[in-house]
Structures are given as C-alpha cells and as structure tokens.
Amino acid sequence: MSDLFLRAARGENTAVAPVWCMRQAGRYLPEYRALRAQHDFWTLCRTPELAAEVTLQPLRRFEMDAAILFADIMTPLPALGVDIDFRPGPVVAEPIRTLAQVEGLTTPDAKDIAPFTMEAIQRIRAATDTPLIGFGGAPFTLACYLVEGKGSKDYGAWRTMMRAEPETAERLLERLADLTIAYLLEQVASGAQAVQLFDSWAGLLSETQYRRFALPANTRILKALEACGVPRIYIAVDAWHLMPALAELPVEVLSVDWRVPLDRVRATQPAGRCLQGNLDPTALFAPRNVLLEEVDAVLRAGKDGAHIFNLGHGILPGADPEALGAVVRRVRETDRHALKAKGEA
Ligand code: CP3
C-alpha cells in the first residue's frame, strides 16, 4: 500500500507526486456505464455494494494513489426533507426561496443523514489499502442548486437572495454547514482518510461576497474536522481572485483549476500547504505528445513544494481512459526533485 497521497497531503515534498483524478469513478469508464445502464444514479449512490464497486473501478485500471468515495455533493440533502432527482445534473422539486422554507428544513440525526454512504465507506476500506477520500459540497455551492433548483451558468435566483434577503441566505448557509459537519464527521468515523470540500461555484463570488457568504461556513466546517486529524482538501473553481481569502482557510491541501500555474498559486498560500491539480481536463483530448508536455509543465510548476497531481476539475465524460492511464504513468515515472524549471540549464 502506498502512503504517498497522505504524506503529500500532510505537506511532505515527495520525490514522486501522488496522483488521482476528480470524477475518476464515472461516465468516461465503460464499466461505470454498464452498471449505470442497470441502475439509476440514486440507486448507485444508495446501495453500499454498488457505491463501493463504482469507487473501486478506477483503481483496477490505474495505479491511483487515492480512491474517492462514490456519492454526490447532493447525497446528504434529502435528509433535510428536500426532494432531489438527477437528470443528469441535480434537480430540486421545490427550490428553497423563502425564510419559511429554510426554517422548515429537517434537522436529522447524524446517523440518519446517509447511512448507506457510511456502509459503502466501510466496504471500500475492507476491499482496498488505497487511501479513501470522503467529500461533501460546500454550503455556497449546495445553495446554488437548492435555491436555483438546478444547474445554471449564473445562479441568478440564489445570488438575488444573497442581496435581497441576506439573512435568509445566511440562515440557509448555516443549516447547510451544520448538516455538512455532521455528514463529514460520520464519514471520517466510518473510515474516510481525507476529506475534500467541493465549492464548484465559489468563483462566481467577488472576494467581498466570498468573505461574507462562503468563508465563515467553510471555515466552521473545516475547523470541526480538525480534531479528526485527516487531511482537509478544498477546491473552488475559477477562483484566482479569491486566493487571499482561500489562504485563510484551515486546510492542508488547496486544489486548484488549470487557469493559473501552480508556482503562482503557491506564492499566495501559507508555507507548507500542499497544492492539488491542475491539468486542464480537455488536455486528455489532445495528441499524446501534447498531453504529456502539459503533464510535465504541471509537474514543473508544482515542484517547489508538496504536490498531489490531479486534473483542474473533473474528468469529462468523453475522455479516453487510455489517456488518463498515460497521465498516471508519466506522473509516476517523474522524479520531481530532479526537475528543473523551464528555461533552467
Ligand atoms: O469519482 C468521483 O469524483 C466521485 C463521485 C462524484 C460525483 N459527483 C458522481 C457523479 C463527485 C465527487 C461528485 C461531486 C459533484 N457533484 C460536484 C462537485 C464537483 C464538480 O464537478 O464541480 C457537483 C457540482 C455535483 C453535482 C452534479 N452531480 C452534477 C452537475 C451532475 C451532472 C453532470 C456531471 O458532471 O456528471 C451530477 C451527477 C453525477 N455525479 C454523475 C456522477 C458520476 C453522473 C450521473 C450519471 O451517471 O448519469
């Protein structure tokens, strides 16, 4: 078993970068599509045997240094009394638009939030030594879906609520933070060895808005996990402008998208913080030599500190699994300590 992922996540500048891939269990894999043809998405998430099987699928194909639990950021939300469907993205039957709806949300016992997920975690731990990453959605991003009712480019209804009824927005964020704390603590108690908080839409916020509507809830969640001792990973997409605020988050690992090279990101973050990323997911569609050059460029930009190799966002459904295999091999065979920055002799 490799502890490379956990060592790098704790800040060690390892000679080889550990590698895993966001959405490594998913539609680009024919074996996922085969299972998915027999079961709807909620059934895959809510049946421990199936969720464990899907989690393990990418590990059979690739030498990954971490597994990520198969679930969704929306998994804990039905426990609030909200009805959610996937078509294929999340669709909320009755979007949350009023204070009365927020106050009407259920407060579930921790054990009742997603017992099937906790059983899946136990099964995965029994089946593999590869470190398992648990995860949840950050309150701001969960609220994007809950208030809007579905995926959107700009989340106008939610961002209007933040301005027109900021107290309602803050109350909703608090409820989501409480739920997420209970859910993630259960995941760690069940065996998750690291935790990633996905804030996919935080890049929509200005730094001022982030400090009011995202930083407090994210900080509260991450602090609540501190005593567990598992590495905490946070990702916001398209968030270069937020780096000063993200530097204040209590995390071991900051996951970053492909838009800014890792050396420039590193300069904005506290010393010793591990960076995760940041190959452009569309690079997997490029000719193989171009893809590998981009992998090398990411490794070079990441070489001056702890680095977990990953994509800058989830792998796209049309990606060729062989391209991901080539990326994993390239990362594994690269000695980071022998790397020279581009331009050096
Ligand atoms: O392999 C893994 O990374 C673990 C599983 C995982 C899924 N969703 C499975 C899934 C994870 C970590 C997520 C997180 C997630 N879900 C995020 C945050 C990460 C990100 O991409 O920004 C978000 C925003 C969601 C919400 C969501 N769920 C969307 C937008 C969609 C549809 C489109 C898409 O990107 O796949 C889903 C459905 C979903 N979640 C699928 C999978 C494998 C596809 C469902 C299917 O099989 O039809």
Side-chain angles (χ1 to χ4, degrees), residues 19 61-63 288 292 322-334:
V19 53
R61 267 192 193 248
F62 314 112
E63 241 190 282
R288 197 55 51 93
L292 295 179
E322 289 304 315
L324 181 59
V327 169
V328 171
R329 285 193 297 279
R330 184 68 149 214
V331 175
R332 304 207 79 83
E333 69 195 21
T334 302

Side-chain angles (χ1 to χ4, degrees), residues 180-196:
T180 303
I181 289 169
Y183 177 57
L184 292 178
L185 287 174
E186 280 288 304
Q187 288 189 27
V188 175
S190 304
Q193 291 151 289
V195 164
Q196 179 156 331

